Amino acid sequence: MVSKSPSLTHLSQKDVDHFATILPRTSILSTIPPFDASADDLKPFNSDWMDKYHGYSKCVLKPRTAKEVSEILKYCWERRIAVVPQGGNTGLVGGSVPLHDEVIINLGNMKNVRTFDPVSGVLVCDAGCVLETLTEYLAPHKHIMPLDLGAKGSCQIGGNVSTNAGGLRLLRYGSLHGSVLGLEVVLPNGEIMNQLSTIRKDNTGYDLKQLFIGAEGTLGIVTGVSILTPAMPQSSQNLLLALPSYEAVPAVYKAAKRYLSEIISAFEYFDRQSYNLVCRHTGAKALDEAEIGDSPAFVLIETSGGSEEHDQEKMTALLEHLYGGESGSEKPLINFGTLSQSPAQFAALWVLRESIAEAGGKAGKVYKYDVSVPPAEFVNVTNKVREKVKGHVKEVVGYGHVGDGNLHINVIAEKYSKELEELLEPFVFEVVASYRGSISAEHGIGSMKPQHLHFSKDAVSIDLMKKIKVLFDERGIMNPGKVVPM
């Protein structure tokens, strides 16, 4: 763990008293008198949902406006008090959990939709809005959010932006670097940068918002988001395929792009170990064993289009091609395929893919690796990790987003241990680097990976990142120990 900088101040009763002049007492949770919260009261904020990362904050602040965030940060800047911005705390790399006794600024009370333009589809909202709540808000307007995550019921849009969250729809709608049009950010010294643009084209110098997308709260706190939302598809279908080999995955993806073209919205992969894990978790076989046989790999394809008849024709043509094999070959590319016939079946097929992470958490303590490698290498990377930890863990499963080369490797163990962590790290990152991949595809760096950043960034890039950090936060109060190895 990174030691606390001697230049940072420990929180005192005087500091908490000052926070009470900014926020109502109901928006402050602290173990420091005159407040009487217990350590257990602060535990949900001091720990991540995996119970892997733990901090020791004595104070959680819940501002309701950007002005309150500004006043808090202005005081913390003057007093050199370290802070950790926190949204839904659904991250996987410790980015929203204190390393020491930093003040937690939780944005859960900032949950207002400010404006929505049904013509342009631009939504402006507070950073604390929950992703699923925004999806529900947009539904009557026939729009959707451009990202979809397993944690959508808890994660907040400010956290999504701050971690540049990817998710299931990136193949269709791109990353947040493209769909976010503007941001409102409170800088470390308390100044408010208002760049909440609602226009798509703005070529007036440096695009400053991009620095905060994926910065994980190390440069400032995102308090408002302007985001472009796509029109709701008129037709959605999905198709679950069981493949005869891992080698068939790239061929099936190529065929899907060719036959489905503009309507493909997701192309998800999971291995047999992932499928078996979910079946054990749910207590039921999701598919007919006689039909899938010993298939080692599975693919879930989703389409989103404007005409059900048109989309079904495309899906049918794809299935016929996959059963017929590639040109010049009679060997099918799939063992089995099932096309959703109802909204209930559509949801059930997605549950199979989205339950993998939950099933892993129920099976043991999970080391999660979120990496980018060429899709053809998904199984090779996963197998190298399996071989490395053989006999030391319960199971290793691999799944991910083929469309953007994002592989998730979940190593399921009896417990978290230093010995197992040292066995896995930096080994996993060395393997990824050997394929010229990224050690973080969508989860971010947090406190888990700063020391491994060199596997994905050269020395010049890391030096520039450090200079940017110092430029915005020379006193080092913003989420210390995260992202950049200072």
Side-chain angles (χ1 to χ4, degrees), residues 285-435:
K285 294 292 184 182
L287 301 170
D288 189 326
E289 290 292 308
E291 292 179 313
I292 64 173
D294 58 356
S295 300
F298 298 83
V299 162
L300 178 65
I301 302 172
E302 181 191 77
T303 62
S304 301
S307 167
E308 185 173 354
E309 182 179 356
H310 170 266
D311 298 352
Q312 284 183 346
E313 287 178 1
K314 282 179 170 283
M315 277 287 210
T316 301
L318 172 64
L319 268 174
E320 289 175 354
H321 170 78
L322 296 177
Y323 274 122
E326 295 205 85
S327 57
S329 170
E330 296 182 359
K331 189 175 181 180
L333 287 171
I334 59 174
N335 287 337
F336 171 74
T338 179
L339 180 63
S340 60
Q341 301 296 323
S342 67
Q345 191 177 15
F346 177 91
L349 292 181
W350 263 120
V351 165
L352 180 59
R353 161 61 181 87
E354 291 186 314
S355 295
I356 298 171
E358 178 184 339
K362 297 293 184 181
K365 298 299 184 182
V366 186
Y367 290 85
K368 292 178 176 285
Y369 295 95
D370 153 61
V371 301
S372 288
V373 293
E377 306 297 342
F378 276 15
V379 65
N380 295 326
V381 174
T382 306
N383 282 342
K384 286 181 179 180
V385 176
R386 282 196 180 106
E387 187 62 31
K388 181 70 173 180
V389 297
K390 188 176 181 180
H392 296 276
V393 301
K394 298 173 75 172
E395 193 162 16
V396 177
V397 302
Y399 59 99
H401 322 298
V402 173
D404 46 55
N406 183 184
L407 171 66
H408 296 290
I409 303 174
N410 285 8
V411 180
I412 305 169
E414 289 286 351
K415 61 179 181 179
Y416 294 123
S417 71
K418 189 67 176 175
E419 295 74 21
L420 183 53
E421 182 178 318
E422 290 175 350
L423 193 64
L424 286 163
E425 301 169 19
F427 174 78
V428 173
F429 307 128
E430 291 170 345
V431 171
V432 170
S434 72
Y435 292 99

Side-chain angles (χ1 to χ4, degrees), residues 76 82 86 169 236 246 248 325 357 368 430 473:
C76 290
Q86 188 178 85
R169 291 177 178 162
S236 294
Y246 292 106
K368 292 178 176 285
E430 291 170 345
D473 182 25

Side-chain angles (χ1 to χ4, degrees), residues 78-105:
E78 293 170 355
R79 288 274 295 125
R80 296 181 183 268
I81 297 170
V83 302
V84 173
Q86 188 178 85
N89 201 17
T90 58
L92 298 163
V93 292
S96 59
V97 176
L99 289 177
H100 303 286
D101 60 351
E102 300 92 318
V103 171
I104 296 171
I105 301 179

Side-chain angles (χ1 to χ4, degrees), residues 137-214:
Y137 172 87
L138 290 170
H141 300 285
K142 304 300 181 184
H143 280 71
I144 62 172
M145 292 297 289
L147 73 161
D148 185 24
L149 309 170
K152 55 182 170 281
S154 304
C155 66
Q156 298 171 10
I157 190 63
N160 298 152
V161 169
S162 297
T163 57
N164 189 27
L168 306 170
R169 291 177 178 162
L170 192 139
L171 173 63
R172 176 66 174 273
Y173 300 115
S175 79
L176 290 173
H177 279 293
S179 55
V180 170
L181 302 181
L183 294 175
E184 176 186 78
V185 182
V186 181
L187 301 176
N189 64 1
E191 289 183 317
I192 299 176
M193 186 191 83
N194 189 339
Q195 290 283 307
L196 275 178
S197 172
T198 58
I199 55 177
R200 296 186 67 176
K201 298 181 76 173
D202 179 8
N203 200 14
T204 53
Y206 305 128
D207 191 0
L208 296 176
K209 69 177 181 293
Q210 301 295 351
L211 286 172
F212 300 94
I213 300 173

